[in-house]
Amino acid sequence: MIYFDNAATSFPKPESVYNEIFKAMREYGANPGRSGHRLALEASRGIFETRNRLSKFFNAGNPMNIVFTFNCTESLNLGIKGILRPGDHVITTSMEHNSVLRPIKYLEKMGVENTIVKADKMGGINSKDIENAIKPNTKLIVTTHVSNLTGTIMPVGEIGEIAKRYGIYYLLDGAQSAGVYDIDVERMNIDLLAFPGHKGLLGPQGTGGLYIRDGIELDGILQGGTGSASYSLEQPEIKPDKYESGTLNAPGIVGLGEGIRYIEERKIEDIRTYEEELTSHFIEEILKIEGVRVYGPLDVNSQGAVVSINIGNIDSSEVAYILNQEYDIAVRPGLHCAPLAHETIGTFEQGTVRFSFSFFNTHREIEYGIKALGNIAREI
Ligand SMILES: Cc1ncc(COP(=O)(O)O)c(C=O)c1O
């Protein structure tokens, strides 16, 4: 099958990721941080190495500033619910995933105010609109880095600068950017960075994390065993234990470490350039097909490897069904857990057919995808 659904989760992963997961499960599958025996220590070492690698990758300083979660959704929930209190105000955008919008809507019922800044038709956000939405009680700004619908790259540097100037926390959703676009939490003034391990970072599902800047105390969303301070009935206050209760996904986390190692070896800028080549060729060619509508900036300087399209007025699910059944191509139709983003670009009723590429897609696959769309547009 030709896999163009990398925005949902990347597939395949590097061989070294598969190998390390197997190795962890077969050779040192003990519970990390729970005992002092050799296997438990080896599992703990594997987790620390990934934490360390991630902290360097995002310029996060102390590795303990990285907290492991099971996906980006959990990271976003921890960041959003951990910081906001009744009476606070949060600013976000209409291009967000439900993993941002739903926690914010949940908190609305508890007295946390919100402003959702509307993007333009290309999915772009004007950082001035964010600045204009600031109120005296604004405590947090949450935005995505790259839209999972249109691929639009947000002005995160400008937003981080605004947040810093006003003394507001900035939480970045790196779900569609981590591993492909540079993220430097210091340079970009990011206070909290939510990331999945299983997309651009090339780790397995069941991995994710949250960077928490030094000095920020969040309310944890889970309390339980940490293997530390076991005499106490209170949750430890130290990072990462405060936020990591229960057995960690050790095989997944060491696999994630290998994903990052792979990106470092292949160089993130080369990965990005390759994805840009695929994306820009795909956009250029499908724009020539009669009946195909392409959404978003249509320019890889402002767009990641995510391309949303429609063919005439056909339901996006039908196009995805044909691609799957007749061409063995995997894409994602519908609303992509981003209803406001679809409202913003005018596709709430029809949805879109989303193509999302990775470093493992080939030029030949892209050509095949273009041909398939040409055929479908002609036949329908
Ligand atoms: C922009 C964005 N944010 C958050 C998420 C949630 O990520 P996860 O599936 O790791 O929970 C996604 C998933 O596709 C996403 O695209």
Side-chain angles (χ1 to χ4, degrees):
M1 173 156 243
I2 294 178
Y3 188 77
F4 290 150
D5 196 16
N6 291 281
T9 200
S10 58
F11 177 74
K13 315 290 182 184
E15 274 305 309
S16 54
V17 171
Y18 299 131
N19 292 339
E20 195 59 39
I21 293 169
F22 267 109
K23 191 171 163 202
M25 296 199 71
R26 287 182 189 281
E27 294 180 20
Y28 58 96
N31 201 323
R34 297 295 190 269
S35 309
H37 58 73
R38 182 173 58 77
L39 294 184
L41 292 180
E42 202 168 331
S44 299
R45 179 198 48 75
I47 285 177
F48 179 76
E49 273 181 18
T50 302
R51 211 187 287 282
N52 198 26
R53 212 170 261 286
L54 279 163
S55 73
K56 293 203 173 98
F57 195 73
F58 295 129
N59 193 22
N62 186 346
M64 302 307 166
N65 291 341
I66 302 288
V67 167
F68 287 115
T69 61
F70 290 96
N71 47 47
C72 196
T73 299
E74 187 188 336
S75 311
L76 288 162
N77 269 269
L78 175 56
I80 293 168
K81 292 177 181 160
I83 216 154
L84 292 168
R85 299 283 162 277
D88 290 338
H89 173 240
V90 52
I91 300 170
T92 191
T93 84
S94 68
M95 294 309 286
E96 304 310 312
H97 193 272
N98 271 343
S99 294
V100 167
L101 296 171
R102 286 180 176 172
I104 287 177
K105 280 287 160 190
Y106 172 84
L107 288 178
E108 191 178 87
K109 296 190 195 94
M110 323 264 164
V112 176
E113 294 174 46
N114 62 71
T115 301
I116 300 175
V117 170
K118 201 163 176 216
D120 61 31
K121 281 259 173 209
M122 303 290 161
I125 289 290
N126 184 343
S127 58
K128 267 270 153 220
D129 292 342
I130 293 201
E131 185 168 7
N132 291 339
I134 293 174
K135 307 205 287 189
N137 58 338
T138 305
K139 193 169 189 187
L140 181 69
I141 298 171
V142 191
T143 77
T144 191
H145 190 173
V146 170
S147 160
N148 69 316
L149 171 61
T150 53
T152 312
I153 301 170
M154 304 302 169
V156 291
E158 293 171 22
I159 299 168
E161 194 274 321
I162 291 167
K164 187 174 181 191
R165 189 149 37 87
Y166 285 85
I168 297 165
Y169 295 119
Y170 184 26
L171 165 56
L172 185 70
D173 175 359
Q176 297 299 337
S177 60
V180 180
Y181 290 85
D182 296 314
I183 301 179
D184 179 325
V185 294
E186 283 305 320
R187 187 170 51 77
M188 295 156 90
N189 295 313
I190 295 161
D191 299 296
L192 299 158
L193 169 68
F195 59 90
H198 62 100
K199 301 187 198 249
L201 291 174
L202 304 176
Q205 292 173 20
T207 60
L210 181 70
Y211 155 73
I212 306 172
R213 181 180 288 283
D214 270 331
I216 297 180
E217 287 298 328
L218 303 176
D219 267 1
I221 48 181
L222 275 184
Q223 286 76 38
T226 56
S228 58
S230 295
Y231 53 83
S232 172
L233 298 186
E234 300 292 332
Q235 189 75 5
E237 281 300 318
I238 50 160
K239 266 191 298 196
D241 301 26
K242 180 174 178 186
Y243 310 108
E244 287 178 355
S245 290
T247 301
L248 288 173
N249 175 7
I253 290 171
V254 294
L256 168 59
E258 285 305 311
I260 300 160
R261 190 204 296 270
Y262 180 89
I263 294 163
E264 286 166 346
E265 281 170 7
R266 293 306 183 101
K267 296 200 170 52
I268 191 167
E269 54 276 22
D270 292 349
I271 291 175
R272 186 166 60 244
T273 303
Y274 180 71
E275 289 192 10
E276 283 172 356
E277 275 168 28
L278 297 181
T279 306
S280 93
H281 180 66
F282 182 72
I283 291 174
E284 201 180 304
E285 291 303 313
I286 61 172
L287 280 173
K288 295 179 191 161
I289 305 172
E290 205 177 318
V292 170
R293 250 188 335 280
V294 192
Y295 303 93
L298 312 181
D299 169 10
V300 290
N301 292 314
S302 352
Q303 176 168 3
V306 176
V307 185
S308 263
I309 69 135
N310 269 318
I311 301 183
N313 293 324
I314 311 167
D315 193 89
S316 57
S317 305
E318 198 178 326
V319 176
Y321 179 80
I322 298 170
L323 284 168
N324 179 47
Q325 288 294 110
E326 292 181 20
Y327 296 91
D328 208 24
I329 291 177
V331 294
R332 180 164 173 205
L335 294 183
H336 313 97
C337 301
L340 296 188
H342 277 274
E343 272 178 13
T344 305
I345 69 166
T347 51
F348 188 77
E349 299 302 325
Q350 193 177 6
T352 61
V353 185
R354 184 184 72 183
F355 291 72
S356 49
F357 309 123
S358 87
F359 192 54
F360 291 94
N361 287 124
T362 63
H363 286 279
R364 191 187 272 244
E365 288 177 335
I366 299 293
E367 291 305 335
Y368 181 70
I370 295 164
K371 274 212 186 82
L373 282 181
N375 290 346
I376 298 172
R378 222 173 307 114
E379 284 162 14
I380 286 182

